[in-house]
Amino acid sequence: MSGQDTAAGKWQTVKTKQQDVKKKRGPEPVAPSGRIEATDSVFSALDQWYDKKQDSHQKPAESSDINGTAASSPSDAGSSTGESGVPKAPDVPRRVKKPKAKQAKITPSQAASGLDSNKISHVLLSVQQTYPHNQLSQLQTLGDHLLTTFQTSELPFNKLLNEQYLEKVTDIPLQDLPLEVKHILENFAAHLDIPVVSQFIMNILAAILETVPEGNSKQSVPKAKVGLLIMLSLLLRTAPAALLLRSQDLLVGGKKYSGPNRLPLLLWLINQTARSNPAMGIAIWLRVLLPQIIGTQLPTVLQKTAPPSESAVLVMTPMGINVSLDYIQGLLNIAQEAPLQQQTNDHGFPEWHGGSANLRASNSLLHRLACVGLRYSGQGGTSLVEPVVPPAVLDAIVRSQFTDSSHLQTAQRIKLLKQYEVLRELAFAGSQAGGFDCKESLRLALDTAVLSDGPYEGPGDETVDQAARNILACIAEDSQAAQVWETRHKQQLRGSTRVLQHLLHVYPKHCQPLLATAKGKAGLLKLLQSLRQRHQTQLQQGKGWTKTCAHASESASLALQKKVRNRGASLGWLLMLLLSLVLAAAALLTNAETQQAFHAFSDTQAGSQLINKAHGVHAQLAPYLERISAQAAPTVGAIQAKVQPVAQQIQATLSSMFVSEKPT
């Protein structure tokens, strides 16, 4: 710096280039609140810029004072900014969704109102013209039409099955079908082949099972297919034998048809057939659900070269067993009188030797149906007859009751044994024309006796007792069944020996059906003699258990022959005594002096007491006289027709002597 440019004694300030630029720009203003300042960080500046932008989009809140002028209250002023002066985000209004209008549910009854007889007749005529030789296609087309008609209808079918009584649900949803339409469809189904209907039923059932959960699954299931339910119900009532043909498929299907959630639907199917034919419902239950209750297939006759084997099947839960037993009890109640008080044996089970299950004989609907059997047309129009109660059912129940491995509870076993008595009478009711094969039943009974763990000598257990009872009942119903016992005696020596020994120790129990007629008694004696000839080889050359059984069989047969023969001689003396009593009573009644003396004596106090006691004796003698008459009938042969009048004459004599002189 030179002295020329400066004043003497003073320094001159030299400005930098940067300071000179600021001077030209002028003083830097102070940034107001909300503006970006140079000292702020980049992020802070961005935040303030964003808040300012949001604030510019807000609409100022307006409020009116009393005079109608707009004014902003302090609360409104503070609502746009926070305590720190930072603007708040505006409140964006939410879109409120309008509730959807609920559509009215259409019931099956409302959907069925669109069907009339003319329309359904036109549909049937069309399918028959389109598929004249294909009944399955006709059914499928008709099923599609009903499915479409009821497609919009809603029905809580699964809920009804689980919560309502089966009898009430059985008519749902068929009850909603117009009566005229129902009659037209029934007439159409009645002319279809049973095997075709059977195949179509399984197709419908597969579609319906899609709407029924198999287990305790929480997955949603489709709504009930009302049209198919109506079609299925109508076909089962018109052609119940169609479901009978599928009994084995339903049994093998196991949980698919009989699981906890599927069992109500299966009972609904069976009950549809029972509405048309109660015997058909019982027959299907025995073939499908009974094996799942006892846990084994129904037994078949043992072959000589094959060891005994029982195929295991699905065992129901205890609740399923109770439901199934209660259902069959309901069907059997229509054939049973009021239950009598039953005696129980040492094991707490009903006494098996009661004989009759109190069926109403010819007055029972089930009894009449069992007599004719289940008749239907098979493939090619062939007529088929099946028994309501197959022979295997009786032995299956017997074998399941007295084994250590039985899984049934005590209450369930007692209930099944009571039902057995009714089923047994229904079985033998069909022995003549109902399809029940006494020969097969006898073979199975011998096999059942073989499975007993009891000894070869002495009275047998409950299994042998029931086998012996059924064997003699078979021979009484079909005399040719005795030849089956003769031919199988050597093959089933163990079972045959147990039966003979048991019959000896419980005689005359179980033998009464054969002893009731002279022909039956002669047949029994002939059978015992034939059995003795069959085991002669084992008796002479046998070893071990074979020889033991042969000796036990020989002794039992010989002793039974003596008992049967001696029974006629002992009853002969009894008949002579009865005849003498009748003659003596007749002589007293015809004597006038005796009658006068008797009337005079009856007026005294001692006579009145004697007559009162006589009335009691008369009431006690009545059942014994009837029993004597029944037991004496097979022994008199040629004078059989005179035996019962003799017993009746005795009752009439006692009645005329004492009943006419009742004390006042």
Side-chain angles (χ1 to χ4, degrees), residues 1-8:
M1 182 182 304
S2 62
Q4 302 169 346
D5 300 327
T6 60

Side-chain angles (χ1 to χ4, degrees), residues 513-576:
L514 293 176
L515 299 177
T517 61
K519 182 179 179 180
K521 175 184 173 183
L524 179 58
L525 291 173
K526 180 181 178 182
L527 171 64
L528 294 173
Q529 185 63 30
S530 300
L531 294 179
R532 293 181 59 190
Q533 296 175 0
R534 291 282 179 174
H535 57 245
Q536 287 300 318
T537 304
Q538 288 82 358
L539 188 62
Q540 298 174 2
Q541 304 177 3
K543 297 180 180 179
W545 68 266
T546 305
K547 191 170 186 177
T548 302
C549 287
H551 277 286
S553 181
E554 174 69 15
S555 60
S557 301
L558 185 60
L560 281 172
Q561 284 181 314
K562 293 180 179 180
K563 284 181 175 293
V564 173
R565 293 192 182 99
N566 294 336
R567 181 181 179 84
S570 60
L571 286 178
W573 286 102
L574 181 60
L575 289 176
M576 293 298 295

Side-chain angles (χ1 to χ4, degrees), residues 162-181:
N162 292 311
E163 297 180 0
Q164 299 291 337
Y165 290 107
L166 181 61
E167 284 298 316
K168 182 178 180 180
V169 185
T170 301
D171 294 328
I172 298 175
L174 186 61
Q175 63 185 8
D176 297 321
L177 202 64
L179 191 59
E180 294 182 358
V181 175

Side-chain angles (χ1 to χ4, degrees), residues 125-192:
L125 181 61
S126 176
V127 298
Q128 289 174 338
Q129 291 177 349
T130 306
Y131 308 102
H133 305 293
N134 193 336
Q135 294 183 354
L136 185 59
S137 297
Q138 294 177 13
L139 286 171
Q140 291 173 346
T141 306
L142 179 60
D144 291 340
H145 177 76
L146 291 177
L147 184 62
T148 304
T149 302
F150 293 90
Q151 187 174 6
T152 57
S153 63
E154 295 188 9
L155 177 68
F157 187 66
N158 295 331
K159 183 178 180 181
L160 293 174
L161 281 178
N162 292 311
E163 297 180 0
Q164 299 291 337
Y165 290 107
L166 181 61
E167 284 298 316
K168 182 178 180 180
V169 185
T170 301
D171 294 328
I172 298 175
L174 186 61
Q175 63 185 8
D176 297 321
L177 202 64
L179 191 59
E180 294 182 358
V181 175
K182 179 183 175 183
H183 290 165
I184 293 174
L185 293 176
E186 287 175 345
N187 185 52
F188 166 75
H191 293 84
L192 298 174

